[in-house]
Amino acid sequence: MIRIALLDDYQNVAMDYADWTQLPEGAAVETFTEYIDGPNAVAQALHPFHIVMALRERTAFPAALLDKLPNLRLLATASMRNAAIDVEAATRLGILVCGTAGSGVSTMELSWALMLALLRRLPREHANMREGRWQETVGVGLAGKTLGLLGLGRIGALMVPVAKGFGMRVIAWSQNLTPQAAAQAGAERVEKNELLAQADILSIHLKLSERTTGLLGKADLARMKPTAVLVNTSRGPIVEEAALLDALKGSTLAGAALDVYGVEPLPADHPLRELDNVVLTPHLGYVTEEVYRGFYGQTLENIRAYLEGAPTRVLNPDVLTHLRPRPVA
């Protein structure tokens, strides 16, 4: 029997977004609807499985964990990049890693939803309406404001035309961004300190890496206007969490709208949950029906292709010369 695990299916919908009956006879699919906390628990839970699907970076697969999964033959990840997988270790162990196409549109949409919810105080006013109250807050509009984009790649560039539609000025910075590239995307390239000082809304759209981890610390947040807000739909560790909490508690930053965190799922007793100047969502940037159909549908294609001996969307092609023997049904 070929055992397949679909991880981190928090909404219990994985079986609905692909036709898993297309798998060959003898292939059994099991979904995990709860987060498995810690590498030892992950190793124990996944030990019997030949194929595992990692839903984005919800569960990490470092070398130490992969070493404890002797039955693993295929690690299928949603999207073509997953910083939580040690691809080099997988290659060394003969584990194939395959990905799927992704879309930045859903994350861009959520960035604007969070921004508007924060500035127009929607969570509080929604709660007020449910409880019979009426108009307690005064919101902030977008027209005439400056949107600062920390990162102007695929998703950051999608933010620009929407901002222009709201009548906003758009400035941007990243380590490799040139004035020409920024202008081509419809933004103005500024230095990092200028970005922080001028932005009314700072929206983060960078990949997490060694050089972006902790990119915004205490001194950086202190350069922002006290009326400014921060929106992060990228990765939590790009902003130093302790510095962000201090800025929000001390009102040196007016507010934050966050979809991503240093530890996910966010612990129930986390101090961010107690602040009234934040809007929090549980990493919903890519959680749409359209994206899930792509993730699960293409993962199914990848699994079938692997079992047929013709792997697709391979992220570590060097492994093809020394794959672990495929499981036999």
Side-chain angles (χ1 to χ4, degrees):
M1 176 184 291
I2 301 164
R3 298 192 62 180
I4 302 168
L6 307 181
L7 292 185
D8 301 310
D9 179 23
Y10 300 152
Q11 303 98 334
N12 195 22
V13 296
M15 300 303 292
D16 299 332
Y17 284 100
D19 183 5
W20 300 99
T21 63
Q22 294 181 20
L23 288 170
E25 185 177 353
V29 180
E30 182 175 340
T31 63
F32 288 76
T33 58
E34 299 291 334
Y35 177 67
I36 308 173
D37 192 5
N40 290 332
V42 176
Q44 182 176 0
L46 297 184
H47 189 274
F49 290 91
H50 306 101
I51 298 172
V52 172
M53 178 190 180
L55 189 57
R56 298 294 290 119
E57 295 163 1
R58 291 176 173 176
T59 295
F61 285 87
L65 172 59
L66 294 173
D67 280 331
K68 296 177 181 179
L69 299 175
N71 295 309
L72 185 60
R73 302 297 188 265
L74 170 62
L75 184 52
T77 179
S79 87
M80 293 300 288
R81 183 182 182 274
N82 189 326
I85 295 175
D86 189 330
V87 177
E88 183 178 343
T91 302
R92 171 176 55 82
L93 293 167
I95 301 169
L96 189 69
V97 183
C98 293
T100 70
S103 170
V105 173
S106 60
T107 302
M108 177 272 291
E109 292 173 345
L110 185 69
S111 297
W112 286 104
L114 285 171
M115 196 184 305
L116 289 165
L118 178 65
L119 293 174
R120 298 300 294 270
R121 317 289 194 260
L122 297 186
R124 178 174 169 180
E125 293 293 12
H126 173 79
N128 286 342
M129 290 292 287
R130 291 286 191 181
E131 295 171 8
R133 294 192 293 274
W134 190 256
Q135 287 192 359
E136 289 188 357
T137 66
V138 178
V140 176
L142 295 177
K145 298 297 191 300
T146 296
L147 173 65
L149 297 174
L150 191 64
L152 194 60
R154 180 169 58 101
I155 298 175
L158 292 173
M159 298 287 290
V160 177
V162 182
K164 295 295 182 70
F166 279 117
M168 303 180 76
R169 174 191 176 214
V170 184
I171 58 177
W173 176 86
S174 69
Q175 288 97 331
N176 297 324
L177 181 64
T178 66
Q180 295 78 13
Q184 186 174 6
E188 175 189 352
R189 199 269 187 195
V190 298
E191 294 300 327
K192 180 184 176 185
N193 287 348
E194 293 179 79
L195 183 85
L196 298 172
Q198 296 180 28
D200 295 300
I201 301 102
L202 181 68
S203 191
I204 301 173
H205 302 283
L206 292 171
K207 293 178 180 178
L208 183 64
S209 66
E210 288 186 6
R211 68 178 183 174
T212 62
T213 298
L215 184 64
L216 292 185
K218 182 176 181 179
D220 301 296
L221 296 177
R223 291 189 176 95
M224 298 179 66
K225 302 174 184 179
T227 56
V229 299
L230 180 147
V231 179
N232 191 2
T233 57
S234 181
R235 290 294 182 271
I238 293 172
V239 184
E240 291 182 4
E241 187 175 271
L244 178 60
L245 282 166
D246 286 345
L248 292 168
K249 291 177 180 178
S251 298
T252 56
L253 192 64
L258 308 173
D259 187 47
V260 289
Y261 311 92
V263 175
E264 296 184 2
L266 188 69
D269 60 350
H270 197 282
L272 277 170
R273 294 182 185 267
E274 301 172 4
L275 301 180
D276 60 7
N277 57 345
V278 298
V279 173
L280 307 175
T281 50
H283 206 149
L284 298 179
Y286 58 91
V287 183
T288 66
E289 292 185 358
E290 295 80 5
V291 171
Y292 269 23
R293 287 191 186 98
F295 280 173
Y296 287 113
Q298 291 184 22
T299 293
L300 172 60
E301 293 172 1
N302 290 343
I303 293 172
R304 292 182 62 192
Y306 165 72
L307 294 175
E308 293 167 2
T312 56
R313 305 186 185 94
V314 177
L315 301 185
N316 57 342
D318 290 345
V319 81
L320 294 175
T321 59
H322 56 282
L323 277 174
R324 288 178 173 178
R326 293 203 308 277
V328 178

